[in-house]
Amino acid sequence: MTISSIGVGSGLDVESIITQMLAIETQPLTTLQTAAASIQTKISTYSQVKSLISTLSDAAAKLTLASSWNGTTVTSSNSSAVSATVSGTASPTSFTMSVQQLARSQSVASSVVTSGSTVGAGTLTLQLGTWSDTSSSPTFTAGSADAVSIEVSATDTLTSIAAKINDADAGVTATILTDASGERLMIRSKETGEASGFRIQATEDSASPGLSALAFDPENAASTGMAANTIQYAQNTLAKINGIDITSASTTFASTIPGLKITASQVTTSDVTMTVGADTATMKANIQAFVDAYNAVNTLLSDSTKYDSDTETAGVLQGDSTAVSLQNALRMLTMGSSSGSGTLQRLSDMGISMARGGALTVDSTALDEALEDPAALKTLFATEASGTASGGIAVQFKNFTVGLLATGGLMENKATALNDAVDRNTTEQEKVNARAELVEKRLRAQYTALDTQMASLTALSTYITQQIANWNKSSSN
């Protein structure tokens, strides 16, 4: 006999019985799943700790660099006239600077012609060089670059001539200025400085004269061609530093003072004071970044390991010996001393102290006083480790945190241990589920057999009842 639905033969609610039995069998899953969630939270928390330690390591590493303590900055009493930036290693100093003349390029323009008209044919020869005695008898000294010849046809307009000049790459740019009176050809040297001046000589085609109107040669043909119009001769920047004459072809002085790039923007009427000093602002920012990075690690570890009596809630890492040991080790480093021989030996000597809860605080006044001696701060933070000497405070933090983050270091080992715990937890859950499946299979087999047996007994009982009924009936006849 085949039983179509388990429990029919026995009259029992077998599905309910099996469900309750399996619930009992899988009770360990609740504990295992809670433990798994806790482990995942720890993994996430340690990932945050690792990230913050990396930030702390970077901040400490920056304080170990000589460049962090040797940096300089420059200020100007009139930055709109004279400014400067640090371009290399600059020594602390102070000097005055005045500007008598700013560098400029040469610029000339032709007389006006009718728009679109031609000016004649021939050759324009353009030579770069230096003009001297421009106020009286201009004299031209050719530069080292070869002269450039530009062929002009009888059909060329100012626009096409300007294009030819620009295409010739002769060290000048040509532009057409158009207004109600017509067109002018403007030519300007590409660079500033007196050596960027230029001369333009014209050789006319006798069949199409007029090209001399675009010549510029005041030495040989004064008041003719473009020399007859307004002229802006090229010139250098002329200045004085502490009364000593200096000059530049541009408005910048890149190597006059080692490590500084000085820019002149205006002619001055009085001396501008330039002061080069230690870049204490950057030093202070780097120290604050280190303190902030340390406090971020400390806050996370404190919050994760504490027990909140008000809410009766334990931190995710409460009782975790690794987290507690790590926090204690970091705190010990902040209370340690530098192996350097400077006047500053501890963080507290320069205004950094530990508050309740382990956070570092900075006394700005004390720090500002310490910043007056960058060399002492450098010794405190950046003294190199040697032999048994542990080095400066930042060196100690750097070495410690690098070790934490290294392959085989504390952070990797902790992550491995937690991931192993996840694997073990998963295996245990799989075992519980496997046992539950076996129990369910066994129970279903047992209750199916019971149904079959009960069905057989019910059939036998029905048969016997029928036989007795038949016998009673025959006996009564």
Side-chain angles (χ1 to χ4, degrees), residues 421-438:
V422 171
D423 293 340
R424 290 193 298 271
N425 183 281
T426 300
T427 299
E428 290 301 314
Q429 289 192 51
E430 290 173 349
K431 288 180 179 179
V432 171
N433 286 324
R435 287 196 299 269
E437 289 178 3
L438 291 174

Side-chain angles (χ1 to χ4, degrees), residues 162-343:
K164 288 183 176 182
I165 292 173
N166 290 331
D167 290 342
D169 193 21
V172 300
T173 56
T175 307
I176 301 301
L177 174 63
T178 303
D179 60 17
S181 59
E183 295 179 337
R184 290 178 176 84
L185 176 65
M186 295 193 304
I187 301 179
R188 185 182 185 88
S189 51
K190 290 182 178 180
E191 305 295 335
T192 60
E194 59 187 28
S196 67
F198 57 84
R199 177 179 64 190
I200 303 174
Q201 295 176 316
T203 303
E204 293 189 349
D205 184 340
S206 58
S208 181
L211 191 59
S212 295
L214 301 184
F216 177 78
D217 188 6
E219 180 179 10
N220 300 306
S223 301
T224 62
M226 290 193 285
N229 302 320
T230 301
I231 304 169
Q232 176 180 288
Y233 285 101
Q235 64 184 31
N236 288 344
T237 295
L238 302 180
K240 294 178 184 291
I241 288 183
N242 288 350
I244 300 173
D245 291 330
I246 57 173
T247 184
S248 173
S250 68
T251 56
T252 61
F253 296 83
S255 58
T256 303
I257 301 294
L260 294 184
K261 181 180 180 181
I262 305 172
T263 301
S265 302
Q266 297 176 6
V267 172
T268 61
T269 56
S270 60
D271 287 346
V272 177
T273 301
M274 309 294 291
T275 304
V276 182
D279 187 4
T280 56
T282 298
M283 296 177 196
K284 190 172 185 178
N286 289 341
I287 292 171
Q288 187 63 55
F290 167 74
V291 170
D292 292 342
Y294 172 86
N295 285 342
V297 177
N298 180 73
T299 297
L300 178 58
L301 290 174
S302 295
D303 291 344
S304 300
T305 56
K306 72 180 181 181
Y307 178 80
D308 190 332
S309 58
D310 293 333
T311 61
E312 298 184 347
T313 302
V316 65
L317 300 181
Q318 206 225 356
D320 187 307
S321 60
T322 300
V324 174
S325 297
L326 175 58
Q327 186 173 39
N328 289 336
L330 289 171
R331 289 181 178 179
M332 290 300 294
L333 284 176
T334 67
M335 294 184 286
S337 60
S338 169
S339 63
S341 57
T343 56

